[in-house]
Each structure stands twice: as C-alpha cells, then as structure tokens.
Amino acid sequence: MSSDELYKEVILDHYQDPRNRGQMPDATIANRGHNPLCGDDLMLYLKLDGDTVEAASFEGRGCSISQASASMLTESVEGLSLAEAEHLAEQVRGLMKGQEPDEDLGDIEALSGVRHYPVRVKCATLAWNTLQESLKLYRQRTVRDGALAENGR
Ligand code: ZN
C-alpha cells in the first residue's frame, strides 16, 4: 500500500468509527470550532483534572477530514498535561506545514496526507486550533478565578 492509500485508510477509519464522540455534560471546557471554508463545525469537550486532560470528546458535523482529525485529537490528548496537549497541537500544526514532528504522532500523521491542499489543511487543523483556544480560555479563567479568590480574602 502506498503511504497515500494508508493515510486515506486511517482517516476513513476514524471518520466511520469516531472515538469519543458525544456530549460531555461534566466537561470543564466546551468550545466550538467552525471552518467556514468547508462548513465544518464541532464542539470540543475537555474534562480537566488540575493540570491533566482526564477526558476529551467531540460532536459536530463536517467533512471526513475534520471529523477524523477531531476523533484523533480526543484519543491522543487523554492523560496529557495541559503543556503536553499544547505541544501536541503545535506539532500537528507544524506537520501540516511540512515540518517533521519530534515524536511519533501515530494516526495523526495521516493528516499530513492533505497538506498539499490548502483548503483541506483548515479541515485537518480545526480541532487542534479549537483545542489551543480551549486551553487559552481555561488559563484565562483560572487566572481570573484566582484573582477573584484573592479579592475575596
Ligand atoms: Zn472540511
């Protein structure tokens, strides 16, 4: 099998059998991502335990690449620290620009098969951009809550 065919297989597998699909009522952060170029829309749910991603899930609709990418994301961030999750998102963005990741990214590397199609790159990075934004929102909230706690003392 050529690497191109292998990539398609992996993406199709995640699309047809998405991991961690569904709402998460007790999510710490729920954040929406939208890719107007393609119409991809997703909600990303993260459950955080202190500095660790305890669970991740998503729901939404869109093309196979956006949905497969979200499925891969939820599968790979579980158990990571927030810094590690952030680093992974950076690596995926780099991968889409043709950079070599500094570790084996497993299924995620299949996404690099679309990097020559600029419109599809947005589909592949949507979930990862949403993840980065979620972590940013979480940090802002933590800082704000911390400040509130200070004031309340
Ligand atoms: Zn798309």
Side-chain angles (χ1 to χ4, degrees):
M1 227 184 325
S2 74
S3 65
D4 226 38
E5 280 163 26
L6 183 69
Y7 286 164
K8 279 184 196 145
E9 288 267 314
V10 173
I11 287 173
L12 205 61
D13 176 53
H14 276 271
Y15 178 57
Q16 290 173 338
D17 178 24
R19 322 314 193 244
N20 308 305
R21 195 186 172 98
Q23 255 188 43
M24 191 190 288
D26 59 345
T28 314
I29 291 264
N31 191 22
R32 182 166 173 254
H34 182 57
N35 170 19
L37 277 178
C38 179
D40 308 316
D41 204 277
L42 65 87
M43 279 295 291
L44 180 65
Y45 302 96
L46 296 174
K47 187 169 186 215
L48 306 178
D49 177 16
D51 193 39
T52 306
V53 181
E54 200 176 86
S57 77
F58 79 102
E59 56 179 0
R61 57 200 150 72
C63 67
S64 56
I65 294 162
S66 69
Q67 301 295 300
S69 179
S71 166
M72 291 173 191
L73 182 152
T74 59
E75 197 174 51
S76 44
V77 296
E78 268 185 34
L80 296 187
S81 72
L82 301 189
E84 285 166 343
E86 175 76 29
H87 180 64
L88 182 61
E90 275 306 319
Q91 296 233 71
V92 177
R93 286 155 62 106
L95 181 73
M96 300 314 293
K97 292 182 203 144
Q99 293 161 7
E100 278 292 318
D102 42 82
E103 62 203 271
D104 182 6
L105 299 182
D107 283 0
I108 296 169
E109 292 188 13
L111 296 173
S112 70
V114 303
R115 70 176 165 220
H116 300 300
Y117 311 96
V119 177
R120 310 309 274 169
V121 168
K122 301 257 183 212
C123 303
T125 52
L126 175 65
W128 301 92
N129 291 340
T130 309
L131 170 67
Q132 285 191 312
E133 204 184 302
S134 304
L135 297 177
K136 203 168 109 190
L137 286 170
Y138 177 69
R139 273 196 299 269
Q140 283 168 355
R141 202 167 80 184
T142 314
V143 168
R144 193 194 61 205
D145 290 354
L148 288 176
E150 291 270 309
N151 292 334
R153 232 186 263 158

